Amino acid sequence: MFFHKKNLMYEVKVSQADPRFARILLEQFGGANGELAAAMQYFVQGLGSRDTKMRDMLMDIAAEEISHLEMVGTCIDMLINGHPNEEFYQTEIFDFVGGNGPNLMNSYGIKWTADYLKVSGETASDLHNNIAAEGRAKITYERLMTQTDDPSVLDMLKFLMTREVTHIQNFQEALYSLEEQMPGVMSGSPEFVKKYFNMSTGATDARGPWNEDGKFEYVEDPVPMGNNPAEEMKAKNE
Ligand code: MN
Ligand code: MN
């Protein structure tokens, strides 16, 4: 059951109309890493979760993301309404696609799609995805903050960016609380699981914790382990 409270989660005000900024802010409304995508991803993950604690967290954060969506949509509406330059306003996608208000599309006018969502039905895999999704939302807010001077809009963007930081930390803690952070149930085959193949070779070959001796066996010059199907086909035809 959902209730709606008419007051916004945090203050949304704009100093003046700015259709250009409204257009790029659409990324957080109907874009791939926007608030609707976040809300729906956690909501659908939560509905399918068999872990009641994870389900609770996913529903809490999903409901907050809808509150962010409301703030972003409200801000877009304020930014496009009352713009004095009618000619410029009509060149913006809102006028002929969006019906004069925010619409579920990205800054290029491409409609929102459920294909943006990552729902695996597996807690560890979903949490990894959610951490990455929150990270993308955070950097999108940071980039948006370079594109406006409006102090009220900047204050709202700072709040929304901050909440994504919190969500990254919530999802990280949830992931670390799992007994097994590796998605799925099977272990990798022992003969391959600890090998690192140096498949891109050249002067800038690099070493780090991802291919460190001890943790991994560094295979400097990998050779194919498989057969040659064309050779076998040729032999069969002779
Ligand atoms: Mn959000
Ligand atoms: Mn978030």
Side-chain angles (χ1 to χ4, degrees), residues 35 38 42 61 64-65 68 134 137 160 163-165 167-168 171:
E35 298 294 354
Y42 310 150
I61 300 180
E64 178 172 347
E65 302 295 7
H68 296 178
E134 291 289 339
L160 293 169
R163 293 305 301 161
E164 313 309 10
V165 173
H167 294 162
I168 290 173
F171 288 133

Side-chain angles (χ1 to χ4, degrees), residues 30-46:
N33 305 308
E35 298 294 354
L36 182 69
M40 288 302 106
Q41 181 160 307
Y42 310 150
F43 183 62
V44 174
Q45 286 175 357

Side-chain angles (χ1 to χ4, degrees), residues 46-216:
L47 287 177
S49 177
R50 304 286 173 268
D51 180 327
T52 55
K53 286 179 167 179
M54 292 294 165
R55 192 184 175 105
D56 178 55
M57 176 189 64
L58 289 163
M59 289 302 178
D60 281 334
I61 300 180
E64 178 172 347
E65 302 295 7
I66 293 179
S67 308
H68 296 178
L69 181 75
E70 183 182 32
M71 289 172 60
V72 171
T74 302
C75 187
I76 291 169
D77 187 56
M78 289 173 173
L79 287 166
I80 55 178
N81 282 304
H83 191 266
N85 187 339
E86 197 63 25
E87 210 172 304
F88 176 65
Y89 173 62
Q90 278 170 9
T91 66
E92 294 297 320
I93 51 181
F94 304 105
D95 198 31
F96 49 92
V97 186
N100 208 21
N103 205 322
L104 290 173
M105 56 192 177
N106 68 13
S107 58
Y108 294 94
I110 297 163
K111 295 283 184 180
W112 188 86
T113 166
D115 285 340
Y116 293 152
L117 309 187
K118 301 284 176 280
V119 180
S120 73
E122 211 265 351
T123 304
S125 182
D126 281 349
L127 288 172
H128 279 288
N129 249 314
N130 297 354
I131 293 164
E134 291 289 339
R136 291 192 298 270
K138 177 177 186 279
I139 61 171
T140 304
Y141 278 121
E142 289 176 3
R143 288 170 184 172
L144 283 164
M145 288 174 80
T146 69
Q147 298 297 314
T148 178
D149 297 326
D150 188 323
S152 305
V153 175
L154 283 169
D155 185 53
M156 178 199 80
L157 295 172
K158 185 78 189 285
F159 171 80
L160 293 169
M161 187 279 290
T162 300
R163 293 305 301 161
E164 313 309 10
V165 173
T166 310
H167 294 162
I168 290 173
Q169 292 169 340
N170 297 147
F171 288 133
Q172 281 174 334
E173 293 298 340
L175 180 66
Y176 304 154
S177 77
L178 298 180
E179 248 170 72
E180 186 50 78
Q181 291 162 25
M182 180 67 72
V185 290
M186 294 174 71
S187 330
S189 305
E191 65 269 44
F192 303 124
V193 77
K194 289 294 177 193
K195 281 196 165 69
Y196 182 93
F197 296 121
N198 181 35
M199 302 291 273
S200 167
T201 60
T204 49
D205 275 348
R207 302 297 297 269
W210 56 87
N211 61 18
E212 217 164 66
D213 296 328
K215 280 186 192 159
F216 297 94

